[in-house]
Amino acid sequence: MQLNLKNPIVFFDLETTGVNFTSDRIVEISYLKVHPNGDEDIKTRRINPEMPIPPASTAIHGITDEDVKDCPTFKAIAKSLAVQIEGCDLAGYNSNRFDIPMLAEEFLRAGVDIDLRKRKFIDVQVIFHKMEQRTLSAAYKFFCDKDLENAHTAEADTKATYEILKAQLERYPDLQNDMKFLDQFSRQNDFVDFAGRMIYNDKGVEIFNFGKYKGRSVEEVLKMEPSYYAWMMNGDFSLDTKRMLTQIKMRSFGTK
């Protein structure tokens, strides 16, 4: 099945030093760009994370410090990567919860201004879990009747994710071959920030999604307790979370 695309879509997968958006870094990225005419381009890059790769992470993806010591840093490839995904929708496996927030954070650290919020996000894992409740390897076996060779390598996972989405569209008549529909179907919450610390409620108001003010309007909390803004800005929150919090504060208080 060929995807019904209005814009190119980039399937991608990240291997990282860990799962903390603020302290961990990307060590490998693989992306498969599918064009509306069906043409496909794939590229895989190893990245020097500028920090040691924990043994626990190496045990998962097999990438060591030695493997990446001579590779470019993310900052060195950030601008060219941004050009490659410019105007593209994004897809992955568990990408809404992990890969997209991590990628957005790396772009911010590199000083590359790219607005990912204008894109449609297709999370194949969310579709799979809503339909069947399985892991990536099981999803590949279930939908494609293949064993996933080289699991936890970025390229193998990226290719498998692309194949799974096409198989899902063929299997489920209720799934529309339309990126806007799949974007909405993939969303579990309407996040304000990629880390999901703030979300929109059913009235379109930004509310906190964690802590003592969970469910409360961000704007109301900042007016009621101005120190909460300073606490978050000085805390271990992602740069993207802090940026969106600042935008709400500036809008609420009429500052620029």
mmCIF file of all heavy atoms in Angstrom, residues 9-12 85 88-97 99-101 103-104 114-124 126-127 165 178-194:
data_model
loop_
_atom_site.group_PDB
_atom_site.id
_atom_site.type_symbol
_atom_site.label_atom_id
_atom_site.label_comp_id
_atom_site.label_asym_id
_atom_site.label_seq_id
_atom_site.Cartn_x
_atom_site.Cartn_y
_atom_site.Cartn_z
ATOM 1 N N ILE A 9 6.621 12.503 4.391
ATOM 2 C CA ILE A 9 6.582 12.069 5.784
ATOM 3 C C ILE A 9 7.912 11.405 6.113
ATOM 4 O O ILE A 9 8.449 10.637 5.303
ATOM 5 C CB ILE A 9 5.395 11.127 6.058
ATOM 6 C CG1 ILE A 9 5.296 10.798 7.543
ATOM 7 C CG2 ILE A 9 5.458 9.869 5.212
ATOM 8 C CD1 ILE A 9 3.982 10.116 7.938
ATOM 9 N N VAL A 10 8.454 11.726 7.278
ATOM 10 C CA VAL A 10 9.732 11.181 7.715
ATOM 11 C C VAL A 10 9.495 10.218 8.869
ATOM 12 O O VAL A 10 9.045 10.615 9.943
ATOM 13 C CB VAL A 10 10.696 12.308 8.155
ATOM 14 C CG1 VAL A 10 11.949 11.721 8.810
ATOM 15 C CG2 VAL A 10 11.092 13.164 6.955
ATOM 16 N N PHE A 11 9.762 8.942 8.629
ATOM 17 C CA PHE A 11 9.774 7.944 9.693
ATOM 18 C C PHE A 11 11.168 7.984 10.307
ATOM 19 O O PHE A 11 12.167 7.934 9.581
ATOM 20 C CB PHE A 11 9.495 6.547 9.135
ATOM 21 C CG PHE A 11 8.085 6.359 8.662
ATOM 22 C CD1 PHE A 11 7.690 6.841 7.428
ATOM 23 C CD2 PHE A 11 7.161 5.694 9.453
ATOM 24 C CE1 PHE A 11 6.385 6.670 6.986
ATOM 25 C CE2 PHE A 11 5.851 5.511 9.021
ATOM 26 C CZ PHE A 11 5.463 6.005 7.788
ATOM 27 N N PHE A 12 11.255 8.071 11.638
ATOM 28 C CA PHE A 12 12.583 8.152 12.230
ATOM 29 C C PHE A 12 12.627 7.433 13.568
ATOM 30 O O PHE A 12 11.612 7.194 14.214
ATOM 31 C CB PHE A 12 13.031 9.606 12.382
ATOM 32 C CG PHE A 12 12.406 10.352 13.523
ATOM 33 C CD1 PHE A 12 13.127 10.614 14.676
ATOM 34 C CD2 PHE A 12 11.096 10.812 13.449
ATOM 35 C CE1 PHE A 12 12.564 11.309 15.734
ATOM 36 C CE2 PHE A 12 10.526 11.505 14.495
ATOM 37 C CZ PHE A 12 11.266 11.756 15.654
ATOM 38 N N ILE A 85 14.124 17.608 7.027
ATOM 39 C CA ILE A 85 12.769 17.338 7.516
ATOM 40 C C ILE A 85 11.844 18.545 7.388
ATOM 41 O O ILE A 85 10.684 18.483 7.789
ATOM 42 C CB ILE A 85 12.787 16.837 8.977
ATOM 43 C CG1 ILE A 85 13.258 17.944 9.935
ATOM 44 C CG2 ILE A 85 13.658 15.606 9.115
ATOM 45 C CD1 ILE A 85 13.175 17.532 11.397
ATOM 46 N N CYS A 88 7.992 18.407 6.376
ATOM 47 C CA CYS A 88 7.580 16.999 6.410
ATOM 48 C C CYS A 88 6.773 16.705 7.667
ATOM 49 O O CYS A 88 7.015 17.289 8.728
ATOM 50 C CB CYS A 88 8.809 16.080 6.404
ATOM 51 S SG CYS A 88 9.871 16.252 4.964
ATOM 52 N N ASP A 89 5.822 15.775 7.549
ATOM 53 C CA ASP A 89 5.196 15.218 8.730
ATOM 54 C C ASP A 89 6.151 14.180 9.318
ATOM 55 O O ASP A 89 7.089 13.733 8.648
ATOM 56 C CB ASP A 89 3.848 14.588 8.363
ATOM 57 C CG ASP A 89 2.862 15.624 7.843
ATOM 58 O OD1 ASP A 89 2.901 16.772 8.317
ATOM 59 O OD2 ASP A 89 2.059 15.282 6.951
ATOM 60 N N LEU A 90 5.939 13.805 10.587
ATOM 61 C CA LEU A 90 6.865 12.919 11.288
ATOM 62 C C LEU A 90 6.143 11.685 11.820
ATOM 63 O O LEU A 90 5.015 11.783 12.299
ATOM 64 C CB LEU A 90 7.537 13.660 12.443
ATOM 65 C CG LEU A 90 8.379 14.884 12.062
ATOM 66 C CD1 LEU A 90 8.843 15.609 13.307
ATOM 67 C CD2 LEU A 90 9.563 14.481 11.205
ATOM 68 N N ALA A 91 6.810 10.548 11.744
ATOM 69 C CA ALA A 91 6.220 9.304 12.222
ATOM 70 C C ALA A 91 7.278 8.459 12.908
ATOM 71 O O ALA A 91 8.462 8.517 12.567
ATOM 72 C CB ALA A 91 5.595 8.514 11.065
ATOM 73 N N GLY A 92 6.841 7.685 13.886
ATOM 74 C CA GLY A 92 7.769 6.803 14.584
ATOM 75 C C GLY A 92 7.013 5.844 15.478
ATOM 76 O O GLY A 92 5.786 5.784 15.450
ATOM 77 N N TYR A 93 7.758 5.113 16.267
ATOM 78 C CA TYR A 93 7.184 4.140 17.202
ATOM 79 C C TYR A 93 7.467 4.641 18.612
ATOM 80 O O TYR A 93 8.623 4.737 19.021
ATOM 81 C CB TYR A 93 7.806 2.753 16.980
ATOM 82 C CG TYR A 93 7.027 1.627 17.618
ATOM 83 C CD1 TYR A 93 5.998 1.008 16.930
ATOM 84 C CD2 TYR A 93 7.322 1.197 18.903
ATOM 85 C CE1 TYR A 93 5.269 -0.021 17.502
ATOM 86 C CE2 TYR A 93 6.606 0.163 19.485
ATOM 87 C CZ TYR A 93 5.583 -0.444 18.781
ATOM 88 O OH TYR A 93 4.866 -1.462 19.366
ATOM 89 N N ASN A 94 6.415 5.012 19.333
ATOM 90 C CA ASN A 94 6.522 5.698 20.623
ATOM 91 C C ASN A 94 7.147 7.076 20.447
ATOM 92 O O ASN A 94 7.746 7.623 21.373
ATOM 93 C CB ASN A 94 7.342 4.874 21.636
ATOM 94 C CG ASN A 94 7.195 5.388 23.062
ATOM 95 O OD1 ASN A 94 6.142 5.890 23.459
ATOM 96 N ND2 ASN A 94 8.268 5.290 23.836
ATOM 97 N N SER A 95 7.005 7.632 19.267
ATOM 98 C CA SER A 95 7.661 8.896 18.932
ATOM 99 C C SER A 95 7.052 10.099 19.636
ATOM 100 O O SER A 95 7.760 11.060 19.965
ATOM 101 C CB SER A 95 7.635 9.107 17.415
ATOM 102 O OG SER A 95 6.335 8.903 16.890
ATOM 103 N N ASN A 96 5.737 10.084 19.876
ATOM 104 C CA ASN A 96 5.122 11.233 20.540
ATOM 105 C C ASN A 96 5.599 11.390 21.978
ATOM 106 O O ASN A 96 5.714 12.506 22.485
ATOM 107 C CB ASN A 96 3.593 11.104 20.524
ATOM 108 C CG ASN A 96 3.009 11.402 19.153
ATOM 109 O OD1 ASN A 96 3.714 11.778 18.226
ATOM 110 N ND2 ASN A 96 1.705 11.218 19.010
ATOM 111 N N ARG A 97 5.902 10.270 22.621
ATOM 112 C CA ARG A 97 6.335 10.313 24.017
ATOM 113 C C ARG A 97 7.846 10.445 24.167
ATOM 114 O O ARG A 97 8.327 10.932 25.192
ATOM 115 C CB ARG A 97 5.872 9.053 24.761
ATOM 116 C CG ARG A 97 4.386 8.996 25.038
ATOM 117 C CD ARG A 97 4.042 7.738 25.820
ATOM 118 N NE ARG A 97 2.650 7.693 26.173
ATOM 119 C CZ ARG A 97 2.129 8.210 27.292
ATOM 120 N NH1 ARG A 97 2.911 8.829 28.145
ATOM 121 N NH2 ARG A 97 0.841 8.109 27.534
ATOM 122 N N ASP A 99 10.740 10.106 20.999
ATOM 123 C CA ASP A 99 11.631 10.558 19.932
ATOM 124 C C ASP A 99 11.427 12.028 19.570
ATOM 125 O O ASP A 99 12.412 12.762 19.377
ATOM 126 C CB ASP A 99 11.434 9.683 18.688
ATOM 127 C CG ASP A 99 11.759 8.225 18.964
ATOM 128 O OD1 ASP A 99 10.853 7.498 19.417
ATOM 129 O OD2 ASP A 99 12.910 7.816 18.739
ATOM 130 N N ILE A 100 10.185 12.475 19.460
ATOM 131 C CA ILE A 100 9.934 13.866 19.088
ATOM 132 C C ILE A 100 10.368 14.826 20.200
ATOM 133 O O ILE A 100 11.053 15.825 19.921
ATOM 134 C CB ILE A 100 8.460 14.070 18.680
ATOM 135 C CG1 ILE A 100 8.229 13.412 17.308
ATOM 136 C CG2 ILE A 100 8.092 15.551 18.637
ATOM 137 C CD1 ILE A 100 6.802 13.360 16.855
ATOM 138 N N PRO A 101 10.009 14.576 21.481
ATOM 139 C CA PRO A 101 10.529 15.464 22.539
ATOM 140 C C PRO A 101 12.053 15.487 22.591
ATOM 141 O O PRO A 101 12.655 16.554 22.790
ATOM 142 C CB PRO A 101 9.937 14.866 23.820
ATOM 143 C CG PRO A 101 8.713 14.151 23.380
ATOM 144 C CD PRO A 101 9.031 13.613 22.019
ATOM 145 N N LEU A 103 14.208 14.877 20.087
ATOM 146 C CA LEU A 103 14.706 15.585 18.911
ATOM 147 C C LEU A 103 14.511 17.094 19.054
ATOM 148 O O LEU A 103 15.424 17.878 18.735
ATOM 149 C CB LEU A 103 13.987 15.075 17.657
ATOM 150 C CG LEU A 103 14.476 15.642 16.325
ATOM 151 C CD1 LEU A 103 15.923 15.244 16.060
ATOM 152 C CD2 LEU A 103 13.575 15.169 15.179
ATOM 153 N N ALA A 104 13.349 17.502 19.532
ATOM 154 C CA ALA A 104 13.087 18.929 19.732
ATOM 155 C C ALA A 104 14.077 19.537 20.711
ATOM 156 O O ALA A 104 14.574 20.653 20.516
ATOM 157 C CB ALA A 104 11.653 19.129 20.231
ATOM 158 N N ILE A 114 13.517 25.394 14.729
ATOM 159 C CA ILE A 114 12.636 24.628 13.856
ATOM 160 C C ILE A 114 11.340 24.360 14.609
ATOM 161 O O ILE A 114 11.363 23.844 15.725
ATOM 162 C CB ILE A 114 13.301 23.309 13.385
ATOM 163 C CG1 ILE A 114 12.340 22.490 12.524
ATOM 164 C CG2 ILE A 114 13.846 22.512 14.545
ATOM 165 C CD1 ILE A 114 12.996 21.306 11.848
ATOM 166 N N ASP A 115 10.220 24.771 14.037
ATOM 167 C CA ASP A 115 8.928 24.658 14.719
ATOM 168 C C ASP A 115 8.279 23.329 14.348
ATOM 169 O O ASP A 115 7.585 23.220 13.342
ATOM 170 C CB ASP A 115 8.024 25.827 14.345
ATOM 171 C CG ASP A 115 6.758 25.854 15.193
ATOM 172 O OD1 ASP A 115 6.594 24.953 16.042
ATOM 173 O OD2 ASP A 115 5.944 26.781 15.016
ATOM 174 N N LEU A 116 8.515 22.307 15.171
ATOM 175 C CA LEU A 116 7.948 20.995 14.903
ATOM 176 C C LEU A 116 6.442 20.959 15.133
ATOM 177 O O LEU A 116 5.769 20.029 14.690
ATOM 178 C CB LEU A 116 8.627 19.939 15.780
ATOM 179 C CG LEU A 116 10.129 19.727 15.540
ATOM 180 C CD1 LEU A 116 10.682 18.684 16.511
ATOM 181 C CD2 LEU A 116 10.383 19.290 14.103
ATOM 182 N N ARG A 117 5.903 21.958 15.826
ATOM 183 C CA ARG A 117 4.477 21.933 16.142
ATOM 184 C C ARG A 117 3.599 22.123 14.908
ATOM 185 O O ARG A 117 2.399 21.892 14.962
ATOM 186 C CB ARG A 117 4.149 22.995 17.191
ATOM 187 C CG ARG A 117 4.657 22.619 18.569
ATOM 188 C CD ARG A 117 4.359 23.677 19.615
ATOM 189 N NE ARG A 117 4.766 23.187 20.918
ATOM 190 C CZ ARG A 117 6.018 23.200 21.362
ATOM 191 N NH1 ARG A 117 6.975 23.695 20.592
ATOM 192 N NH2 ARG A 117 6.324 22.722 22.549
ATOM 193 N N LYS A 118 4.183 22.556 13.815
ATOM 194 C CA LYS A 118 3.409 22.722 12.589
ATOM 195 C C LYS A 118 3.220 21.396 11.857
ATOM 196 O O LYS A 118 2.510 21.333 10.862
ATOM 197 C CB LYS A 118 4.112 23.721 11.664
ATOM 198 C CG LYS A 118 4.181 25.139 12.215
ATOM 199 C CD LYS A 118 4.895 26.059 11.244
ATOM 200 C CE LYS A 118 4.960 27.488 11.790
ATOM 201 N NZ LYS A 118 5.687 28.399 10.866
ATOM 202 N N ARG A 119 3.871 20.334 12.345
ATOM 203 C CA ARG A 119 3.844 19.048 11.649
ATOM 204 C C ARG A 119 2.720 18.166 12.172
ATOM 205 O O ARG A 119 2.204 18.362 13.268
ATOM 206 C CB ARG A 119 5.173 18.306 11.842
ATOM 207 C CG ARG A 119 6.399 19.185 11.689
ATOM 208 C CD ARG A 119 6.448 19.885 10.314
ATOM 209 N NE ARG A 119 7.495 20.888 10.286
ATOM 210 C CZ ARG A 119 8.783 20.622 10.087
ATOM 211 N NH1 ARG A 119 9.170 19.384 9.906
ATOM 212 N NH2 ARG A 119 9.663 21.599 10.056
ATOM 213 N N LYS A 120 2.397 17.163 11.392
ATOM 214 C CA LYS A 120 1.523 16.088 11.867
ATOM 215 C C LYS A 120 2.402 14.971 12.397
ATOM 216 O O LYS A 120 3.441 14.663 11.827
ATOM 217 C CB LYS A 120 0.628 15.579 10.736
ATOM 218 C CG LYS A 120 -0.329 16.640 10.192
ATOM 219 C CD LYS A 120 -1.155 16.069 9.066
ATOM 220 C CE LYS A 120 -2.093 17.121 8.502
ATOM 221 N NZ LYS A 120 -1.357 18.213 7.803
ATOM 222 N N PHE A 121 2.013 14.382 13.533
ATOM 223 C CA PHE A 121 2.789 13.334 14.185
ATOM 224 C C PHE A 121 2.005 12.030 14.157
ATOM 225 O O PHE A 121 0.918 11.942 14.725
ATOM 226 C CB PHE A 121 3.092 13.703 15.640
ATOM 227 C CG PHE A 121 3.822 15.009 15.808
ATOM 228 C CD1 PHE A 121 3.466 15.885 16.830
ATOM 229 C CD2 PHE A 121 4.859 15.366 14.965
ATOM 230 C CE1 PHE A 121 4.142 17.085 17.001
ATOM 231 C CE2 PHE A 121 5.531 16.560 15.123
ATOM 232 C CZ PHE A 121 5.180 17.424 16.138
ATOM 233 N N ILE A 122 2.566 11.021 13.520
ATOM 234 C CA ILE A 122 1.928 9.720 13.449
ATOM 235 C C ILE A 122 2.707 8.769 14.351
ATOM 236 O O ILE A 122 3.873 8.466 14.077
ATOM 237 C CB ILE A 122 1.928 9.150 12.006
ATOM 238 C CG1 ILE A 122 1.553 10.240 10.988
ATOM 239 C CG2 ILE A 122 1.008 7.939 11.930
ATOM 240 C CD1 ILE A 122 0.218 10.890 11.216
ATOM 241 N N ASP A 123 2.087 8.326 15.434
ATOM 242 C CA ASP A 123 2.754 7.407 16.350
ATOM 243 C C ASP A 123 2.193 6.008 16.123
ATOM 244 O O ASP A 123 1.066 5.696 16.517
ATOM 245 C CB ASP A 123 2.534 7.842 17.802
ATOM 246 C CG ASP A 123 3.450 7.108 18.769
ATOM 247 O OD1 ASP A 123 3.747 5.919 18.511
ATOM 248 O OD2 ASP A 123 3.873 7.710 19.775
ATOM 249 N N VAL A 124 2.993 5.170 15.467
ATOM 250 C CA VAL A 124 2.562 3.830 15.105
ATOM 251 C C VAL A 124 2.310 2.974 16.346
ATOM 252 O O VAL A 124 1.445 2.096 16.344
ATOM 253 C CB VAL A 124 3.598 3.173 14.167
ATOM 254 C CG1 VAL A 124 3.272 1.720 13.893
ATOM 255 C CG2 VAL A 124 3.675 3.956 12.848
ATOM 256 N N VAL A 126 1.011 4.001 19.209
ATOM 257 C CA VAL A 126 -0.318 4.340 19.730
ATOM 258 C C VAL A 126 -1.394 3.624 18.917
ATOM 259 O O VAL A 126 -2.344 3.048 19.471
ATOM 260 C CB VAL A 126 -0.550 5.864 19.716
ATOM 261 C CG1 VAL A 126 -1.989 6.194 20.114
ATOM 262 C CG2 VAL A 126 0.423 6.556 20.660
ATOM 263 N N ILE A 127 -1.247 3.635 17.591
ATOM 264 C CA ILE A 127 -2.211 2.929 16.746
ATOM 265 C C ILE A 127 -2.220 1.444 17.099
ATOM 266 O O ILE A 127 -3.281 0.827 17.255
ATOM 267 C CB ILE A 127 -1.857 3.123 15.258
ATOM 268 C CG1 ILE A 127 -2.002 4.600 14.870
ATOM 269 C CG2 ILE A 127 -2.764 2.255 14.373
ATOM 270 C CD1 ILE A 127 -1.507 4.916 13.471
ATOM 271 N N LEU A 165 3.003 0.611 9.629
ATOM 272 C CA LEU A 165 1.929 1.563 9.368
ATOM 273 C C LEU A 165 1.175 1.190 8.089
ATOM 274 O O LEU A 165 -0.063 1.216 8.060
ATOM 275 C CB LEU A 165 2.470 2.992 9.252
ATOM 276 C CG LEU A 165 1.411 4.062 8.917
ATOM 277 C CD1 LEU A 165 0.305 4.090 9.969
ATOM 278 C CD2 LEU A 165 2.053 5.436 8.772
ATOM 279 N N ASP A 178 -4.832 8.908 5.658
ATOM 280 C CA ASP A 178 -4.799 10.370 5.643
ATOM 281 C C ASP A 178 -3.986 10.817 6.851
ATOM 282 O O ASP A 178 -4.282 10.415 7.984
ATOM 283 C CB ASP A 178 -6.220 10.933 5.712
ATOM 284 C CG ASP A 178 -6.236 12.443 5.808
ATOM 285 O OD1 ASP A 178 -6.104 13.092 4.751
ATOM 286 O OD2 ASP A 178 -6.352 12.956 6.938
ATOM 287 N N MET A 179 -2.965 11.646 6.640
ATOM 288 C CA MET A 179 -2.049 11.985 7.721
ATOM 289 C C MET A 179 -2.718 12.825 8.812
ATOM 290 O O MET A 179 -2.388 12.705 9.987
ATOM 291 C CB MET A 179 -0.814 12.716 7.167
ATOM 292 C CG MET A 179 0.021 11.864 6.220
ATOM 293 S SD MET A 179 0.474 10.238 6.892
ATOM 294 C CE MET A 179 -0.529 9.137 5.850
ATOM 295 N N LYS A 180 -3.681 13.665 8.448
ATOM 296 C CA LYS A 180 -4.389 14.447 9.459
ATOM 297 C C LYS A 180 -5.180 13.530 10.378
ATOM 298 O O LYS A 180 -5.176 13.696 11.609
ATOM 299 C CB LYS A 180 -5.319 15.469 8.800
ATOM 300 C CG LYS A 180 -6.022 16.378 9.806
ATOM 301 C CD LYS A 180 -6.850 17.440 9.099
ATOM 302 C CE LYS A 180 -7.534 18.362 10.111
ATOM 303 N NZ LYS A 180 -8.361 19.406 9.441
ATOM 304 N N PHE A 181 -5.863 12.538 9.804
ATOM 305 C CA PHE A 181 -6.615 11.578 10.609
ATOM 306 C C PHE A 181 -5.675 10.786 11.516
ATOM 307 O O PHE A 181 -5.937 10.610 12.715
ATOM 308 C CB PHE A 181 -7.384 10.608 9.706
ATOM 309 C CG PHE A 181 -8.018 9.457 10.448
ATOM 310 C CD1 PHE A 181 -9.262 9.602 11.031
ATOM 311 C CD2 PHE A 181 -7.343 8.250 10.585
ATOM 312 C CE1 PHE A 181 -9.843 8.549 11.739
ATOM 313 C CE2 PHE A 181 -7.907 7.194 11.288
ATOM 314 C CZ PHE A 181 -9.159 7.352 11.870
ATOM 315 N N LEU A 182 -4.564 10.288 10.959
ATOM 316 C CA LEU A 182 -3.631 9.478 11.744
ATOM 317 C C LEU A 182 -2.938 10.301 12.833
ATOM 318 O O LEU A 182 -2.637 9.789 13.911
ATOM 319 C CB LEU A 182 -2.593 8.832 10.819
ATOM 320 C CG LEU A 182 -3.160 7.802 9.838
ATOM 321 C CD1 LEU A 182 -2.072 7.343 8.876
ATOM 322 C CD2 LEU A 182 -3.756 6.607 10.582
ATOM 323 N N ASP A 183 -2.699 11.564 12.545
ATOM 324 C CA ASP A 183 -2.134 12.466 13.557
ATOM 325 C C ASP A 183 -3.062 12.553 14.761
ATOM 326 O O ASP A 183 -2.645 12.407 15.912
ATOM 327 C CB ASP A 183 -1.938 13.851 12.928
ATOM 328 C CG ASP A 183 -1.661 14.943 13.957
ATOM 329 O OD1 ASP A 183 -0.626 14.851 14.655
ATOM 330 O OD2 ASP A 183 -2.477 15.886 14.066
ATOM 331 N N GLN A 184 -4.343 12.770 14.514
ATOM 332 C CA GLN A 184 -5.320 12.856 15.600
ATOM 333 C C GLN A 184 -5.505 11.513 16.302
ATOM 334 O O GLN A 184 -5.618 11.445 17.523
ATOM 335 C CB GLN A 184 -6.669 13.360 15.059
ATOM 336 C CG GLN A 184 -6.637 14.797 14.567
ATOM 337 C CD GLN A 184 -6.280 15.775 15.670
ATOM 338 O OE1 GLN A 184 -6.775 15.675 16.789
ATOM 339 N NE2 GLN A 184 -5.405 16.726 15.366
ATOM 340 N N PHE A 185 -5.517 10.436 15.544
ATOM 341 C CA PHE A 185 -5.698 9.106 16.118
ATOM 342 C C PHE A 185 -4.511 8.715 16.995
ATOM 343 O O PHE A 185 -4.662 7.988 17.974
ATOM 344 C CB PHE A 185 -5.874 8.081 14.991
ATOM 345 C CG PHE A 185 -6.366 6.740 15.466
ATOM 346 C CD1 PHE A 185 -7.720 6.524 15.682
ATOM 347 C CD2 PHE A 185 -5.483 5.696 15.704
ATOM 348 C CE1 PHE A 185 -8.188 5.293 16.123
ATOM 349 C CE2 PHE A 185 -5.938 4.464 16.146
ATOM 350 C CZ PHE A 185 -7.296 4.258 16.359
ATOM 351 N N SER A 186 -3.314 9.216 16.649
ATOM 352 C CA SER A 186 -2.096 8.867 17.391
ATOM 353 C C SER A 186 -1.969 9.625 18.707
ATOM 354 O O SER A 186 -1.178 9.238 19.570
ATOM 355 C CB SER A 186 -0.846 9.178 16.543
ATOM 356 O OG SER A 186 -0.799 8.378 15.390
ATOM 357 N N ARG A 187 -2.708 10.717 18.851
ATOM 358 C CA ARG A 187 -2.550 11.552 20.035
ATOM 359 C C ARG A 187 -3.266 10.940 21.228
ATOM 360 O O ARG A 187 -4.425 10.565 21.142
ATOM 361 C CB ARG A 187 -3.096 12.957 19.788
ATOM 362 C CG ARG A 187 -2.295 13.752 18.777
ATOM 363 C CD ARG A 187 -2.953 15.087 18.495
ATOM 364 N NE ARG A 187 -2.250 15.798 17.444
ATOM 365 C CZ ARG A 187 -1.306 16.703 17.670
ATOM 366 N NH1 ARG A 187 -0.967 16.994 18.907
ATOM 367 N NH2 ARG A 187 -0.698 17.305 16.659
ATOM 368 N N GLN A 188 -2.553 10.888 22.373
ATOM 369 C CA GLN A 188 -3.176 10.446 23.620
ATOM 370 C C GLN A 188 -3.617 11.647 24.443
ATOM 371 O O GLN A 188 -4.564 11.594 25.197
ATOM 372 C CB GLN A 188 -2.196 9.564 24.396
ATOM 373 C CG GLN A 188 -1.921 8.240 23.683
ATOM 374 C CD GLN A 188 -0.900 7.401 24.398
ATOM 375 O OE1 GLN A 188 0.170 7.874 24.756
ATOM 376 N NE2 GLN A 188 -1.211 6.143 24.607
ATOM 377 N N ASN A 189 -2.879 12.727 24.320
ATOM 378 C CA ASN A 189 -3.254 14.013 24.903
ATOM 379 C C ASN A 189 -2.837 15.101 23.927
ATOM 380 O O ASN A 189 -1.962 14.896 23.081
ATOM 381 C CB ASN A 189 -2.546 14.254 26.243
ATOM 382 C CG ASN A 189 -3.186 13.467 27.376
ATOM 383 O OD1 ASN A 189 -4.361 13.621 27.673
ATOM 384 N ND2 ASN A 189 -2.404 12.604 27.999
ATOM 385 N N ASP A 190 -3.463 16.256 24.033
ATOM 386 C CA ASP A 190 -3.073 17.386 23.200
ATOM 387 C C ASP A 190 -2.027 18.180 23.973
ATOM 388 O O ASP A 190 -2.341 19.055 24.772
ATOM 389 C CB ASP A 190 -4.307 18.247 22.889
ATOM 390 C CG ASP A 190 -4.043 19.198 21.735
ATOM 391 O OD1 ASP A 190 -2.921 19.182 21.200
ATOM 392 O OD2 ASP A 190 -4.957 19.960 21.380
ATOM 393 N N PHE A 191 -0.756 17.853 23.753
ATOM 394 C CA PHE A 191 0.323 18.437 24.535
ATOM 395 C C PHE A 191 0.609 19.880 24.155
ATOM 396 O O PHE A 191 0.619 20.234 22.979
ATOM 397 C CB PHE A 191 1.610 17.629 24.354
ATOM 398 C CG PHE A 191 1.549 16.229 24.918
ATOM 399 C CD1 PHE A 191 2.199 15.194 24.284
ATOM 400 C CD2 PHE A 191 0.843 15.965 26.072
ATOM 401 C CE1 PHE A 191 2.152 13.897 24.794
ATOM 402 C CE2 PHE A 191 0.783 14.685 26.593
ATOM 403 C CZ PHE A 191 1.439 13.650 25.953
ATOM 404 N N VAL A 192 0.875 20.705 25.161
ATOM 405 C CA VAL A 192 1.367 22.062 24.942
ATOM 406 C C VAL A 192 2.862 22.001 24.665
ATOM 407 O O VAL A 192 3.373 22.630 23.739
ATOM 408 C CB VAL A 192 1.079 22.956 26.170
ATOM 409 C CG1 VAL A 192 1.718 24.338 25.999
ATOM 410 C CG2 VAL A 192 -0.421 23.086 26.388
ATOM 411 N N ASP A 193 3.587 21.244 25.502
ATOM 412 C CA ASP A 193 5.019 21.028 25.322
ATOM 413 C C ASP A 193 5.246 19.562 24.989
ATOM 414 O O ASP A 193 4.444 18.701 25.322
ATOM 415 C CB ASP A 193 5.796 21.425 26.577
ATOM 416 C CG ASP A 193 5.397 20.590 27.789
ATOM 417 O OD1 ASP A 193 4.179 20.405 28.003
ATOM 418 O OD2 ASP A 193 6.285 20.109 28.505
ATOM 419 N N PHE A 194 6.348 19.269 24.331
ATOM 420 C CA PHE A 194 6.580 17.906 23.854
ATOM 421 C C PHE A 194 6.742 16.910 24.994
ATOM 422 O O PHE A 194 6.455 15.729 24.832
ATOM 423 C CB PHE A 194 7.808 17.863 22.943
ATOM 424 C CG PHE A 194 7.576 18.516 21.607
ATOM 425 C CD1 PHE A 194 8.366 19.570 21.192
ATOM 426 C CD2 PHE A 194 6.566 18.079 20.775
ATOM 427 C CE1 PHE A 194 8.154 20.178 19.960
ATOM 428 C CE2 PHE A 194 6.333 18.674 19.545
ATOM 429 C CZ PHE A 194 7.138 19.733 19.136
#
